[in-house]
Amino acid sequence: MKSTDYEPPFLRAIDQRAFDTNQWRGRAGIALVTNELGEILLHLRDDKPEIPHPNQWGFLAGGCEDGEDPSQAVLRELFEEAELIVETAEPLCRLVDLEGSQDLATVFRVVTTARLADMRLHEGQELRFFSQEQIRELSLDPLFREILNQFFKPI
């Protein structure tokens, strides 16, 4: 399914306002990846002061390239960042990342049977699956914590 076929609802009211007033730069896809145990795949962002939320845990994500829609971008980014091959991604919500990339991002749920040993990280410092309880203890990008709180018990 292309994201242009179905646009999921906005995560919160501020995102709808930011969209309506064109307060966004580009489009992006964010992958909320879970495994068969319900654990969530996160990567530790690089510790570079020039990137948003350095040295914090977050989802695999990235901006759309020319001609891509967010569903294509998220599948490409999963492969480029972690060599994770998936064929489908279910759109959950949209948001405007006002504190980070300034992109209009679509969040997709991806369920995988792949193990960490099957993946190879190409961006960031570390890649791991975490239980919801373990995530409470992490330094997590605030936007990603908000997404998790929307779709799981509060983290």
Side-chain angles (χ1 to χ4, degrees):
M1 168 187 291
K2 295 179 80 170
S3 66
T4 53
D5 296 336
Y6 168 72
E7 292 288 3
F10 282 98
L11 180 64
R12 56 187 187 249
I14 192 170
D15 291 320
Q16 178 69 54
R17 288 193 306 274
F19 176 76
D20 291 343
T21 57
N22 292 316
Q23 294 179 10
W24 49 281
R25 182 178 61 88
R27 293 180 67 96
I30 297 173
L32 196 170
V33 179
T34 59
N35 65 14
E36 297 165 314
L37 301 174
E39 296 170 320
I40 299 161
L41 182 67
L42 299 174
H43 84 292
L44 182 59
R45 295 176 59 84
D46 287 315
D47 192 12
K48 298 178 181 176
E50 67 272 12
I51 66 171
H53 310 291
N55 211 35
Q56 291 187 329
W57 290 92
F59 301 127
L60 298 172
C64 294
E65 294 181 353
D66 288 341
E68 269 187 333
D69 66 33
S71 64
Q72 294 165 323
V74 79
L75 297 177
R76 176 185 50 76
E77 288 288 340
L78 286 170
F79 180 73
E80 287 180 0
E81 293 183 13
E83 292 186 16
L84 178 58
I85 299 172
V86 295
E87 296 188 21
T88 61
E90 173 193 2
L92 295 175
C93 67
R94 291 183 291 166
L95 55 92
V96 178
D97 185 5
L98 293 173
E99 296 179 16
S101 68
Q102 306 297 314
D103 286 337
L104 171 62
T106 302
V107 179
F108 293 90
R109 170 170 264 167
V110 174
V111 179
T112 185
T113 58
R115 299 169 311 153
L116 279 178
D118 301 327
M119 299 177 214
R120 185 171 173 206
L121 183 64
H122 293 280
E123 186 174 312
Q125 302 176 66
E126 188 177 348
L127 186 67
R128 287 185 45 201
F129 280 104
F130 292 96
S131 70
Q132 293 178 43
E133 291 75 27
Q134 291 171 318
I135 289 174
R136 284 192 184 97
E137 306 301 319
L138 298 177
S139 177
L140 190 66
D141 179 315
L143 178 65
F144 296 152
R145 187 172 300 279
E146 183 177 345
I147 293 167
L148 288 171
N149 286 336
Q150 179 72 30
F151 294 101
F152 297 98
K153 61 185 177 185
I155 293 176

